[in-house]
């Protein structure tokens, strides 16, 4: 897959794909920028950012906390591609510690080293999520017309500790928790404290109910509020809006909400790709947006 990016007067040829491992292992994804192989996918993230909304995300507020943590991380990647480093490092250290505890710890120095990695990267991840969500909260309380304002915050032990003490003290407290609860954590397949236990708490600002208790229509509105808020925040930070991929976004919106959404996207000056099975849903943009008919094996621009 390849594309040409035009950003603030500069043009970049970018592409990504998978190539077989020379030793017969798993295929490896490769990113190229202007014909040169990038060191990592985060190099592409430094040029642009993408936010998306798909029908599969309609369950974001009703399913497990893992999806909400990934949602927050994706927003942070749009601001700082290097966020992937501490996230991946923490996950690796967490798996290593779980394995050591399951198999019976023989090398206590190695366990201490793994736990130290968990502590350093875990507190960094929690602090970044906490800061990003606090900033996003302001962009989700802007009177977006028919879309409900959202009250959001990261909820978890580390986040609570960071409210009370500086990061170094939180690291010491986290490290102490891991050392004291090693035996129990081995039996429970993981520690009860850490950024892997944190959650994104979302409330409807109008009536104060948690998002999980809101109606389907209210949840859809809250999702759109979060996506638009993230796009505004990224535009403010980086000077340009992210690419927006909105799949079937208009299908369950009435005419008033569709018009409001189109207006918000226009105000963002973002390139937005919206899909739907009924072209009539997008009539308000006829003559302004490009329309394409997608069928098996072909993409055709239509009026």
């Amino acid at each position: 897959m390849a594309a040409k990016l035009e950003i603030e007067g500069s043009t970049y040829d970018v592409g990504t794909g998978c190539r077989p491992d020379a030793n017969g292992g798993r295929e490896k994804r490769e990113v190229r920028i202007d014909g040169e192989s990038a060191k990592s996918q985060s190099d592409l993230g430094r040029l642009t950012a993408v936010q998306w909304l798909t029908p599969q995300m309609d369950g974001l507020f009703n399913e497990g906390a893992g999806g909400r943590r990934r949602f927050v991380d994706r927003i942070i990647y749009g601001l700082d591609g290097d966020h992937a480093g501490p996230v991946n490092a923490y996950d690796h250290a967490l798996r290593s510690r779980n394995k050591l505890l399951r198999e019976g710890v023989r090398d206590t120095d190695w366990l201490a080293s793994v736990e130290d990695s968990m502590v350093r990267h875990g507190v960094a991840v929690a602090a970044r999520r906490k800061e990003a969500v606090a900033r996003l909260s302001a962009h989700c309380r802007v009177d977006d017309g028919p879309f409900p304002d959202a009250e959001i915050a990261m909820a978890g032990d580390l986040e609570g500790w960071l409210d009370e003490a500086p990061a170094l003290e939180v690291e010491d407290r986290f490290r102490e928790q891991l050392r004291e609860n090693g035996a129990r954590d081995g039996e429970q397949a993981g520690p009860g404290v850490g950024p892997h236990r944190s959650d994104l708490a979302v409330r409807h600002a109008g009536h104060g109910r948690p998002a999980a208790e809101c109606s389907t229509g209210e949840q859809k509105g809250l999702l759109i509020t979060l996506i638009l808020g993230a796009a505004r925040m990224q535009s403010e930070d980086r000077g340009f809006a992210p690419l927006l991929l909105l799949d079937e976004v208009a299908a369950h919106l009435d005419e008033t909400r569709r018009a409001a959404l189109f207006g918000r996207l226009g105000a963002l000056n973002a390139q937005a790709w919206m899909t739907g099975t009924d072209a009539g849903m997008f009539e308000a943009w006829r003559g302004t947006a490009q329309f394409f008919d997608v069928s098996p094996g072909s993409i055709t621009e239509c009026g």
Side-chain angles (χ1 to χ4, degrees):
M1 183 175 65
K4 187 180 294 292
L5 297 178
E6 296 182 5
I7 304 171
E8 298 181 317
S10 299
T11 301
Y12 304 89
D13 290 312
V14 301
T16 182
C18 294
R19 57 178 178 139
D21 184 85
N23 299 318
R26 292 174 54 188
E27 290 187 337
K28 294 184 178 179
R29 179 165 293 281
E30 183 174 349
V31 173
R32 292 189 178 182
I33 301 174
D34 290 335
E36 299 291 330
S37 294
K39 294 180 180 178
S40 69
Q41 294 185 49
S42 62
D43 289 343
L44 182 58
R46 294 187 181 95
L47 295 179
T48 189
V50 180
Q51 288 293 330
W52 60 86
L53 182 59
T54 68
Q56 290 77 14
M57 293 172 62
D58 288 348
L60 183 70
F61 303 124
N62 300 311
E63 297 174 354
R68 291 185 287 277
R69 288 193 296 271
R70 290 190 292 273
F71 178 79
V72 172
D73 286 336
R74 174 156 55 85
I75 291 173
I76 300 175
Y77 295 148
L79 303 171
D80 179 9
D82 291 335
H83 178 60
V87 170
N88 293 335
Y90 178 81
D91 288 344
H92 176 73
L94 175 63
R95 291 192 300 271
S96 297
R97 180 178 185 266
N98 289 345
K99 183 179 180 182
L100 284 171
L101 294 177
R102 283 197 310 269
E103 295 177 349
V105 181
R106 295 182 177 83
D107 189 337
T108 55
D109 289 338
W110 176 240
L111 177 63
S113 175
V114 169
E115 290 180 343
D116 186 64
S117 180
M118 283 183 64
V119 166
R120 288 184 292 104
H121 296 299
V123 173
V125 168
R128 288 187 183 199
R129 288 175 178 167
K130 180 178 171 62
E131 178 187 5
V133 169
R135 291 185 54 221
L136 177 60
S137 180
H139 291 279
C140 294
R141 300 291 301 273
V142 294
D143 188 19
D144 251 346
F147 301 115
D149 284 357
E151 297 176 351
I152 62 174
M154 287 302 298
D157 289 316
L158 292 188
E159 289 79 8
W161 297 347
L162 285 166
D163 282 336
E164 304 167 354
L168 287 177
E169 289 186 25
V170 174
E171 287 186 8
D172 291 339
R173 187 171 177 180
F174 188 17
R175 186 179 291 106
E176 183 179 354
Q177 287 276 314
L178 292 175
R179 289 175 179 172
E180 289 181 354
N181 299 315
R184 187 190 66 183
D185 293 345
E187 296 172 356
Q188 296 182 352
V193 174
H196 63 292
R197 299 289 188 182
S198 300
D199 197 359
L200 173 66
V202 181
R203 287 183 176 271
H204 189 296
H207 50 59
R209 285 197 292 272
E213 298 177 9
C214 292
S215 68
T216 301
E218 287 174 333
Q219 289 186 2
K220 188 74 171 185
L222 287 168
L223 267 174
I224 292 174
T225 294
L226 293 177
I227 293 295
L228 292 176
R232 281 191 290 265
M233 185 167 70
Q234 291 179 9
S235 181
E236 180 181 275
D237 271 29
R238 306 186 65 167
F240 56 88
L243 297 171
L244 295 173
L245 310 179
L246 309 175
D247 184 18
E248 292 284 358
V249 68
H252 302 292
L253 301 180
D254 58 27
E255 187 174 345
T256 299
R257 287 191 170 190
R258 286 200 301 271
L261 176 61
F262 296 158
R264 302 304 186 272
L265 294 176
L268 278 169
N269 195 29
Q271 183 175 138
W273 292 81
M274 292 179 284
T275 65
T277 56
D278 181 1
M281 294 285 184
F282 306 100
E283 278 302 315
W285 273 17
R286 184 72 66 177
T288 302
Q290 289 180 281
F291 282 68
F292 296 89
D293 179 76
V294 180
S295 57
S298 68
I299 300 177
T300 306
E301 186 170 2
C302 50

